[in-house]
Amino acid sequence: MRLAKTLSDADARVALDAMRAALADRGKAAVLAVADDHGEPIALLRLDGAPLSSVAVATNKAFSAARLRRPSGETGRRVRHPETGFDIAYYGDPRYVGWGGGLPVLVDGAVAGAVAVSGLTDAEDEEIAAIGIAAILAAL
């Protein structure tokens, strides 16, 4: 029998609080998503002023990072590779995306879920998501 580690709603709250504070310090708004180890949503927060379109994007970034066990931006780079790239539709689910900002959460070497941010640049999204992950790991 395999037992999987997965994020809890308490873990999601810790990540959301840390990411919200980081965004407030920068005077920015975004959509924040936390998913379980299967990529299914645990929590979603759209800060005032964040684009509505970022709700689906953040959720899909978290789904992609958790399901594929790698950052969503890495998937995008693989898809766009000039020699080995492929149609992302090959994954068979339209929720897979390749934008940066979705990061898997690793606990004892296993993916326990993912944190994602949408509404800023890919680099800023990833930076804020990393803050959420660091908060989760610090609380463990």
Side-chain angles (χ1 to χ4, degrees), residues 2 4 6 35-41 62-63 66-67 69 95 111-113:
R2 283 185 3 178
T6 191
D36 67 13
D37 61 320
H38 296 288
E40 298 303 327
F63 172 86
R67 287 279 177 109
R69 308 303 202 230
R95 293 180 291 174
V111 174

Side-chain angles (χ1 to χ4, degrees), residues 61-73:
K61 286 179 181 183
F63 172 86
S64 299
R67 287 279 177 109
L68 297 175
R69 308 303 202 230
R70 63 178 172 253
S72 58

Side-chain angles (χ1 to χ4, degrees), residues 1 4 10 15 26 33 47 53 59-60 66 68 73 77 83 98 105 114 116 122-123:
M1 174 188 332
R26 298 165 192 220
L47 297 174
S53 59
T59 303
N60 290 343
L68 297 175
R77 287 186 292 281
E83 295 167 6
V105 178
D122 281 2

Side-chain angles (χ1 to χ4, degrees), residues 14-15 18-19 103-105 115 127-140:
V14 166
M19 293 186 292
L103 300 176
V105 178
V115 173
E127 186 178 335
I128 299 298
I131 289 168
I133 292 170
I136 290 170
L137 297 177
L140 292 179

Side-chain angles (χ1 to χ4, degrees), residues 62-112:
F63 172 86
S64 299
R67 287 279 177 109
L68 297 175
R69 308 303 202 230
R70 63 178 172 253
S72 58
E74 183 180 327
T75 299
R77 287 186 292 281
R78 288 181 181 193
V79 168
R80 291 185 302 272
H81 189 279
E83 295 167 6
T84 60
F86 56 94
D87 185 344
I88 200 164
Y90 291 165
Y91 284 122
D93 190 320
R95 293 180 291 174
Y96 287 107
V97 297
W99 293 301
L103 300 176
V105 178
L106 297 172
V107 177
D108 297 330
V111 174

Side-chain angles (χ1 to χ4, degrees), residues 4-23:
K5 293 184 181 200
T6 191
L7 298 180
S8 68
D9 64 326
D11 298 322
R13 285 192 300 271
V14 166
L16 292 177
D17 288 344
M19 293 186 292
R20 179 191 290 186
L23 287 165

